[in-house]
Amino acid sequence: MLGGFAETTVIDCKASRMFITKKLKGLQRTRAVDCGGGIGRVVQHLLLDLFDKTDLVEQCKPFVDKAREHLADNEKMGDFICQGMQEFAPAPNTYDLVWAQWVCGHLPDDDLAAFLQRCRKALRPGGFIVLKENNMRGEGGAGFHLDQEDGAVTRSDDLFRRVFKRAGLSVKYQMLQPHWPTYLYPVRMYALQ
């Protein structure tokens, strides 16, 4: 799920944990959801430790099956939802945290904005949507890079912020991933409300 960069898991999860616990102080920890959660790496190494219940949303059934195989026995594991983010419509007032990491590049801007709008309605009071995504280096230019191999888009910080605004959200906190290999795109976490 890390595109051949599994060595980044510890660095990634440590910074994500710090972002949630230090930046999102006062966040209730009743229920979270990992959208585009793959086989459950973020759920297993981060969210289950921090929340009473965590759901996983993933459109690829073999990935959901693998996540279920490893996580179903954990009492803090919630629902396994086999559905794409472009269709995911959680019930209002459900989640304290909606997490999406390294998956938003697979959604066009319109679909990403619509996904964020639906997730905004699903937040409990004081809840956050957190996106953790690669960012283009520098500003200006086209604002994105299209990967010809998998069709994913790497957006600039400015382009992300324009999509957030269209979705009616603002960035409350943001942080660049520390200690990240310089040969990879910079990674930024956005906490949105």
Side-chain angles (χ1 to χ4, degrees):
M1 306 287 52
L2 292 175
F5 298 102
E7 73 275 7
T8 61
T9 294
V10 172
I11 298 168
D12 164 47
C13 289
K14 183 177 180 180
S16 296
R17 182 179 305 274
M18 182 178 71
F19 188 71
I20 291 171
T21 59
K22 303 288 188 212
K23 295 281 187 185
L24 309 184
K25 291 180 182 174
L27 176 70
Q28 296 298 306
R29 299 205 189 157
T30 305
R31 193 169 201 106
V33 61
D34 183 13
C35 296
I39 62 171
R41 183 187 69 85
V42 170
V43 170
Q44 181 178 5
H45 296 290
L46 177 68
L47 299 177
L48 288 177
D49 290 340
L50 298 176
F51 291 86
D52 296 339
K53 285 286 180 197
T54 300
D55 298 338
L56 181 139
V57 174
E58 170 56 51
Q59 71 178 3
C60 181
K61 187 177 182 320
F63 291 171
V64 174
D65 292 343
K66 190 72 164 174
R68 186 178 281 116
E69 180 183 315
H70 291 4
L71 300 171
D73 290 340
N74 189 311
E75 64 185 21
K76 295 175 85 178
M77 191 63 216
D79 298 324
F80 295 89
I81 303 164
C82 189
Q83 188 174 52
M85 291 166 52
Q86 65 275 21
E87 294 135 9
F88 181 56
N93 200 36
T94 302
Y95 294 112
D96 300 302
L97 181 75
V98 174
W99 187 274
Q101 179 169 340
W102 291 325
V103 295
C104 295
H106 295 285
L107 294 177
D109 291 354
D110 290 344
D111 288 347
L112 178 55
F115 163 75
L116 292 171
Q117 288 170 338
R118 292 190 305 273
C119 289
R120 184 185 74 213
K121 293 174 185 173
L123 291 178
R124 290 184 172 149
F128 287 92
I129 299 168
V130 173
L131 301 188
K132 185 169 185 176
E133 295 290 332
N134 293 346
N135 271 178
M136 289 287 299
R137 286 187 174 86
E139 296 302 320
F144 67 92
H145 169 76
L146 176 62
D147 186 312
Q148 297 299 320
E149 191 173 312
D150 69 2
V153 173
T154 301
R155 293 173 174 92
S156 67
D157 178 55
D158 182 60
L159 185 53
F160 267 118
R161 289 171 187 268
R162 283 188 258 160
V163 174
F164 302 156
K165 186 175 181 179
R166 281 179 49 200
L169 293 162
S170 62
V171 177
K172 299 299 182 186
Y173 307 100
Q174 64 89 38
M175 184 177 95
L176 278 171
Q177 169 72 47
H179 312 294
W180 199 243
T182 56
Y183 57 87
L184 297 174
Y185 280 118
V187 173
R188 189 179 309 265
M189 289 172 268
Y190 299 96
L192 309 171
Q193 286 184 326

